[in-house]
Amino acid sequence: MLADALRDRYVIGRELGRGGMATVYAAQDVRHNRQVAVKVLHQNLATTLGAERFEREIQLAARLQHPHILPVHDSGRVPASAGDAGFLYYVMPFVEGPSLRERLAREGELPVAEAVRLLVEIVEALAYAHAHGVVHRDIKPDNILLSGRHALVADLGVAKALSAAGAAGAGDEGALTSTGLALGTPRYMAPEQMAADPHLDHRVDIYAVGVMAYEMLTGTRPFPGTTPQAVFVAQSTMTPTPLEQLRPGIPPLLSQIVARCLAARPADRWQNADELLAQLERVRVTGEDAATPGGVTPVTPVASVAPAPPAGMPPSGMRTVATASRNRAAAWGIAAGLATLAGVAVVLASRHPERPLKLGGRTPLTVDPGIEADPAVSPDGKLVAYAAGDLIDSHIFVRQMDGGRPIEVAPGVPSPQREPYWSPDGKRLVFRSSRGLELVPALGGTARVLVPREAATVLLAGPWSPDGRTIAFVRSDSLLTMPVAGGTATAVTTGGELHSPAWSPDGRWIALVRGNRQSVDPDTPAFFGNLGQSALWLVPARPGSGRPVRLTGEGSMNSSPAWLPGSRALLYLSNAAGGEDVYRIGVEPGGAAGHAERITTGLSAQAFTLDAAGHRAVYAVLEDQSNIWSMPIPAGAAVGTADAAPVTRGSQIIETLDFSPDGHWLLFDSDRSGVTQVYRMPVEGGEPEQLTSDSGASFWARYSPDGRLISFHRYTENGRRLFIMGADGGTPTRLDTGPGDAFAAEWSRDGRGLFYLRDYGTPTAALALLPRSATGAWGQPTNLLRLDVLSPTPSPDGRWLAFGSVNGFMIATPRGDSARVVLPGGYRSRAEKATIATWSDDGRTMYYLARDSLDRATVWGIDPLKGGPRLLVRFGPPGHDWHRYGFRSWRGRFYFTVGEQEGDLWSTTVEAER
C-alpha cells in the first residue's frame, strides 16, 4: 500500500532500519532524482496521533536549516483504506555514512579529539534549534548520522510534532505511551523527563548530550539499568564514575563539563547549549586539561539519602531488603521510584580533603611454604588471624604481630577453615568451616556452629557489629545479619556475587564487594585469586534506612574494604591502574562517595586488613603463575602429569587456550604485558604475538570454525562483554548481548552462533545463545537454559553441548532441550565434581576435568550417552596442579594450564604524609 500510494513521488526501496516508532526505507525522489530516506510511523500510531496537527508541526521542523541538522524534505500521510489506519511519514536526505550508534558498536569508544569535535557540531545544531524554539527530546547515538567527518542531528523537531499531535489527539502524552511510543529513550532521558514532568525544556537535551558524550568517551553509559524504572533509580541514587578514572587520557576539564551535563537537577546543568558549546570549544581549540573554567564547579560524587527503593527496582543488580512484603513493595514500586526525585537530598563531598596517606616500613609475617591467606588484624593491632596450609585443608591460626609461634585456634573443626573475623573486644573469632560459620575463643578453645552450611549454597563469613552483638554474613545472593547469641537472620541487601563485607565503626553502614566471588569462596579453591571484575558498594546496616550506593566502578577489580576510624573513609585494593594497590575513598554521612586516591604503587596485594585505630595493617601477597603443558592422551591405565612437557614458559598467568582450525596457531590469554590480553603463537613454538591491546582485560579467546574470526570477552565498566575480531587481530567489534554479564563464549560447530554464560553466579544466570546468520549478521540473544553453568563445549558433530552446573555435569542439545545430568554432584559439592570438558577428535568420548573429594585435579573420559567414566590422568606432583580454566584435547594430546601459587603475609603501618 505504501509503495503504491507514493509511487508518483518516491520509489520505495530496501528497508534501512526499524525501531519502536517507525520504519525507515531507502527511496528515490522521482521529482528531484535524488536518494532519500522515508521514515514511516507505525500504523498503530495513526489512530492515536492527530494527523493534521502532526503535519503542521513537522512543517515547522522542516524550516530548520543548519549544516549539522539533517533537514526534513517532505512529510504527509497515506490515507486510510478499508481495514487500514493509513500511514504518517516524513522524508529526509539519504546519508551514506553510519550512525554514531553503529560507530560505537564497532569501536566501543572514540579518540578524545574526534569525540570533542563531533560533540561541538552536535551542540552547535542544538543551540540553533533551541534558539528557534525546538527541543529534540530524543538525543542519542542512533539519531546522530556521520557523513564524512561530520555529524548530522536527525529527527530534530519530530518529538515536538509527535508531542503536539498526541496532545491534540488524546489530551496528554499518556496516549502516546499506550501506543508503545515513548517520547525519548530511557537511557538518555533526564530525570524530569523520566518522571513525565509537564514543564520540560531544552535542558533535557543538555542531559542527553552528557549521556552520549560519556558513552562516546568510555564505551559505557553513566547509569545502569535494564528498565526505565531501574535507570531512574540509578539516576537518583548513583553518581557516574568520573571520566578520567575510566580513561586516564581524558582531560579533567572535559570530565567536569560532561559531569555538569549529567546533573540530576536541571538548574545544576549548563543552562543553555551556548554555554556548553563555549566550554567544549575550549577543550577542542586549546586542549586545556588543567584549569577549571569559569562557571564550572568541580563535580564531586554525590548520593541520595532518600528512603530505600522497593524490591524489584535494584540499582545495577543490588537492592535493599525492605521490611514490607515483596508483593506489597512491587505494587507501589514504580510510583515510589518516580516520587523519589522530588525528595532527593544531595550531600556534597568534603571540600577539605584529608592529608595524604602512605604505608610505612613493611615486614614479612609468614615465610612458610604454601598459602597464607585471609588476614584479619585484631582491633588492638597486636594479633593477626589468618588461614594457612593447602586451601582444601586450611586451618585458622593466630599469631602476634611482633613475632612468636602461631596458635591453631580450632584443630578439631573440619577443614577448610577460612575467613576469620575478630569480635570488637578481640576475645573471639568467627570463621567459615566446612560445617558452617563457627564461633571460637581467639586463642583457641571449643568452637560452636552459628550458621550451619547448606549443601551447594554459598556461605561466607562476615564482620561483627561495633557493639559485638551481631554478625554479618553472605548466604547465596544475600547479605544478612544475625545476633551472635542466636536468633533469626535478617536480610540486608541482595545482589549477585556479594562477598567481603566490612561494618563501619559507627554501625551505620556495611561496605561489601560485588563480583568475582569465586576468587575468595572456600568452596572454589581452584579459582583462588581469580582475575575478575568487582565493585565496592555501601549498604545501610539497618534495612529500610537507605539504599545501596556504588562506591567504585566495575571495570576493574576492587576488593578488601577496610574502614578508617570515624567511618568517613575506606581503604581498599584495586587494580584500576594495572597492579593491585591500596586506595582510599571518602564516604560522606549520607553515603556519598568521595574521590578515590591511590596511596601505593606496585604493592601487588591480594587482601588487605586494618586495625581499629587505622594504624596497623596486614596484607597478603599471592605469587601466581601458570603456563600451558601438554601430554599424550593415555590409552591404558591412569597416569600422572610428571612427564608432561611445557608448551609456554615465563612469569605469566594463562587461563584459557584454543587452536586454529588449520592447526597452525595456539591461541591463549596472558597477563605477560601487565593486563591480560589475547596472544597467538605457532603450535610448534615461537615468540607469542599480541592480538589485543586495551585497558580492559581480555579472556577466553576462541577461533571461529572457519578460522576467520576470534571471539573473546573483555572487562568493561558495565561488566564482561563479548567481542569479535579478525583472526590476525585488528579492531575488535563488541557484540550486542543486551544487559548483564556475557562471557566464556564457545562457537557453534557450524559457526552460526556463540554459546555463552549470562550473569554467572546470580539469580538470573543462564546458558545463552547469540545467533549468527549465514551472511554474518548477529541476531538477538536467547536463553537456552535458566541455570548457573560453567563453560559450554559443543561436540564435534554439533549435536550436544557439555557443561558443568550446580546440578552436576550435564549435556543438552544446542537448542537447550533434552538436558540431562551425566555425572551427579554440582561444582560446589565436596564429592567429585566435573568442571571443564573437551571432546575427542572423533566426538565419541567426552573428556572432563574434575576435582576429587580431596580437591585434586583429575581427567576422565566418558561416553556421555552410555556412561562408564574412566580415570585417565591424576595431576601431580604437588605444586604441579591444574590452573583454573585451561583444558583442551587436540590431535591425540591433552593441553592444559599448570599453575603454582605461593601466598605470604606482610605487616605495615598506615601513616599520614607530612
Side-chain angles (χ1 to χ4, degrees):
M1 173 183 174
L2 175 68
D4 291 340
L6 297 179
R7 65 178 179 272
D8 292 338
R9 301 175 62 183
Y10 303 103
V11 178
I12 302 298
R14 73 184 192 280
E15 181 179 314
L16 297 176
R18 181 184 299 264
M21 182 181 76
T23 301
V24 186
Y25 298 93
Q28 182 72 19
D29 184 340
V30 176
R31 182 180 303 171
H32 302 97
N33 192 28
R34 62 183 177 182
Q35 282 286 104
V36 295
V38 178
K39 197 161 191 175
V40 183
L41 301 186
H42 292 164
Q43 267 190 301
N44 61 332
L45 298 180
T47 57
T48 303
L49 301 180
E52 292 78 7
R53 181 68 179 272
F54 171 77
E55 290 184 42
R56 289 198 302 271
E57 294 292 341
I58 208 72
Q59 288 172 9
L60 295 177
R63 298 176 185 174
L64 297 176
Q65 298 295 321
H66 187 275
H68 297 301
I69 293 177
L70 190 69
V72 174
H73 284 334
D74 189 14
S75 64
R77 60 172 171 166
V78 176
S81 60
D84 200 328
F87 298 91
L88 300 174
Y89 69 92
Y90 55 100
V91 182
M92 304 166 291
F94 179 81
V95 178
E96 289 284 354
S99 68
L100 180 57
R101 166 70 63 220
E102 293 169 317
R103 175 82 182 274
L104 292 175
R106 184 174 67 248
E107 300 181 19
E109 60 188 23
L110 302 183
V112 174
E114 184 176 3
V116 172
R117 177 177 56 78
L118 293 175
L119 285 169
V120 166
E121 295 178 349
I122 293 165
V123 176
E124 279 183 350
L126 291 176
Y128 171 86
H130 294 172
H132 287 76
V134 176
V135 180
H136 194 296
R137 297 179 65 182
D138 196 18
I139 287 291
K140 58 185 178 182
D142 313 68
N143 284 333
I144 308 298
L145 303 182
L146 303 179
S147 178
R149 299 178 64 251
H150 298 290
L152 293 171
V153 181
D155 286 356
L156 242 169
V158 174
K160 184 175 185 293
L162 293 176
S163 176
D172 58 44
E173 293 180 9
L176 294 177
T177 304
S178 70
T179 70
L181 174 62
L183 297 183
T185 302
R187 289 184 180 275
Y188 301 88
M189 289 166 64
E192 67 270 23
Q193 194 174 1
M194 295 276 283
D197 188 328
H199 305 295
L200 300 178
D201 61 23
H202 59 278
R203 290 174 293 184
V204 301
D205 285 352
I206 302 294
Y207 185 93
V209 166
V211 178
M212 190 169 65
Y214 199 99
E215 189 173 3
M216 292 166 69
L217 291 164
T218 69
T220 64
R221 299 187 184 98
F223 298 105
T226 59
T227 65
Q229 294 79 17
V231 173
F232 182 86
V233 170
Q235 291 173 331
S236 305
T237 63
M238 300 173 60
T239 297
T241 302
L243 289 175
E244 69 268 25
Q245 291 186 25
L246 298 180
R247 190 173 173 184
I250 292 177
L253 171 58
L254 179 57
S255 180
Q256 295 163 9
I257 291 170
V258 174
R260 184 164 173 179
C261 291
L262 294 172
R265 298 175 182 273
D268 293 334
R269 296 174 207 147
W270 302 104
Q271 292 305 287
N272 55 65
D274 287 321
E275 281 186 6
L276 173 57
L277 181 61
Q279 300 303 332
L280 289 171
E281 286 282 12
R282 289 184 61 182
V283 178
R284 183 172 71 101
V285 175
T286 69
E288 186 173 351
D289 61 359
T292 299
V296 175
T297 300
V299 176
T300 308
V302 298
S304 167
V305 293
M313 297 178 62
S316 189
M318 288 188 63
R319 58 185 182 274
T320 299
V321 179
T323 54
S325 73
R326 291 183 181 272
N327 289 340
R328 186 173 63 190
W332 55 266
I334 295 177
L338 294 177
T340 58
L341 183 64
V344 167
V346 176
V347 182
L348 293 180
S350 172
R351 298 180 183 271
H352 306 287
E354 300 289 338
R355 292 169 61 188
L357 297 179
K358 65 177 182 179
L359 297 192
R362 305 167 198 183
T363 304
L365 275 178
T366 63
V367 294
D368 299 326
I371 295 176
E372 288 81 49
D374 303 342
V377 178
S378 63
D380 62 7
K382 296 181 179 180
L383 302 171
V384 59
Y386 58 96
D390 191 310
L391 289 174
I392 66 172
D393 191 30
S394 57
H395 290 258
I396 301 298
F397 292 85
V398 169
R399 63 173 296 161
Q400 295 180 7
M401 292 280 283
D402 299 329
R405 297 187 61 178
I407 300 170
E408 185 176 355
V409 300
V413 173
S415 60
Q417 302 173 11
R418 294 276 305 277
E419 304 179 309
Y421 284 87
W422 290 89
S423 62
D425 60 9
K427 295 181 179 180
R428 294 176 292 176
L429 289 167
V430 163
F431 66 93
R432 181 20 237 276
S433 79
S434 62
R435 301 189 307 191
L437 302 187
E438 311 263 1
L439 180 67
V440 67
L443 298 181
T446 302
R448 67 179 177 92
V449 177
L450 287 178
V451 181
R453 181 184 173 222
E454 301 173 6
T457 298
V458 173
L459 180 64
L460 304 177
W464 303 61
S465 60
D467 61 12
R469 297 178 180 178
T470 307
I471 61 165
F473 62 97
V474 172
R475 182 168 59 201
S476 188
D477 66 342
S478 299
L479 174 71
L480 304 100
T481 59
M482 191 185 77
V484 176
T488 303
T490 301
V492 175
T493 192
T494 61
E497 294 195 76
L498 307 182
H499 62 92
S500 306
W503 214 310
S504 66
D506 63 9
R508 294 183 57 198
W509 301 98
I510 298 177
L512 74 163
V513 181
R514 177 173 181 254
N516 195 29
R517 185 160 64 188
Q518 64 266 36
S519 67
V520 299
D521 189 348
D523 289 332
T524 55
F527 306 115
F528 179 71
N530 180 67
L531 302 174
Q533 289 176 276
S534 55
L536 259 60
W537 285 76
L538 202 64
V539 299
R542 183 170 58 85
S545 61
R547 53 168 62 91
V549 177
R550 193 178 72 173
L551 297 179
T552 70
E554 296 178 329
S556 57
M557 184 183 72
N558 300 280
S559 62
S560 291
W563 288 91
L564 288 166
S567 303
R568 297 292 298 274
L570 283 160
L571 298 184
Y572 66 100
L573 296 177
S574 177
N575 65 355
E580 292 81 4
D581 278 293
V582 178
Y583 288 68
R584 175 174 65 178
I585 189 167
V587 178
E588 292 302 307
H595 176 68
E597 170 198 5
R598 184 180 179 186
I599 67 174
T600 69
T601 300
L603 192 67
S604 298
Q606 187 265 337
F608 183 85
T609 178
L610 196 61
D611 68 0
H615 179 60
R616 297 293 299 269
V618 171
Y619 62 94
V621 174
L622 180 66
E623 296 182 6
D624 193 3
Q625 69 176 41
S626 62
N627 278 282
I628 300 171
W629 291 62
S630 177
M631 63 181 292
I633 298 176
V639 300
T641 56
D643 294 330
V647 177
T648 65
R649 300 178 185 272
S651 297
Q652 61 185 336
I653 298 175
I654 296 176
E655 292 198 351
T656 61
L657 63 122
D658 194 25
F659 295 92
S660 60
D662 63 8
H664 181 65
W665 295 105
L666 170 63
L667 189 70
F668 59 93
D669 52 52
S670 169
D671 69 343
R672 60 194 298 136
S673 65
V675 176
T676 300
Q677 300 295 343
V678 177
Y679 294 79
R680 71 177 183 180
M681 61 177 281
V683 171
E684 62 271 15
E687 186 66 22
E689 174 188 355
Q690 185 172 336
L691 298 181
T692 63
S693 180
D694 188 82
S695 58
S698 300
F699 295 91
W700 215 283
R702 296 290 188 262
Y703 279 106
S704 61
D706 61 8
R708 297 180 178 179
L709 296 173
I710 293 173
S711 65
F712 60 95
H713 68 254
R714 172 176 288 170
Y715 292 163
T716 72
E717 183 58 30
N718 289 332
R720 290 167 285 196
R721 294 293 184 267
L722 298 185
F723 290 78
I724 58 171
M725 65 180 177
D728 296 326
T731 303
T733 298
R734 178 171 163 176
L735 301 179
D736 184 5
T737 55
D741 267 5
F743 61 104
E746 300 280 350
W747 290 87
S748 63
R749 294 305 185 195
D750 58 5
R752 299 291 293 274
L754 284 168
F755 302 103
Y756 68 97
L757 308 188
R758 172 179 280 177
D759 292 339
Y760 172 81
T762 73
T764 59
L767 171 61
L769 171 66
L770 184 66
R772 183 171 179 251
S773 71
T775 62
W778 295 93
Q780 294 298 308
T782 58
N783 289 334
L784 302 179
L785 287 173
R786 287 282 188 180
L787 189 64
D788 211 351
V789 306
L790 296 177
S791 172
T793 306
S795 60
D797 59 10
R799 295 178 57 201
W800 298 101
L801 286 175
F803 48 88
S805 78
V806 292
N807 297 331
F809 209 81
M810 304 179 67
I811 61 171
T813 69
R815 296 186 301 275
D817 53 15
S818 302
R820 59 175 130 168
V821 174
V822 177
L823 298 162
Y827 53 71
R828 287 195 173 278
S829 71
R830 291 292 292 170
E832 179 182 294
K833 44 188 180 285
T835 52
I836 307 295
T838 185
W839 295 81
S840 61
D841 296 335
D842 61 11
R844 297 178 180 178
T845 304
M846 184 183 74
Y847 304 115
Y848 62 94
L849 199 146
R851 293 273 172 180
D852 63 19
S853 59
L854 297 179
D855 213 60
R856 296 173 302 195
T858 54
V859 176
W860 299 69
I862 190 174
D863 182 324
L865 301 180
K866 299 179 180 179
R870 183 170 65 92
L871 178 62
L872 299 175
V873 178
R874 297 183 191 274
F875 278 78
H880 202 266
D881 199 5
W882 173 71
H883 187 271
R884 295 182 187 158
Y885 306 106
F887 180 49
R888 273 287 197 259
S889 65
W890 187 71
R891 297 187 177 179
R893 299 182 67 87
F894 285 140
Y895 290 80
F896 43 81
T897 45
V898 170
E900 298 181 59
Q901 291 183 322
E902 174 74 25
D904 289 300
L905 306 182
W906 290 70
S907 67
T908 186
T909 56
V910 178
E911 303 169 358
E913 292 187 354
R914 296 182 179 181

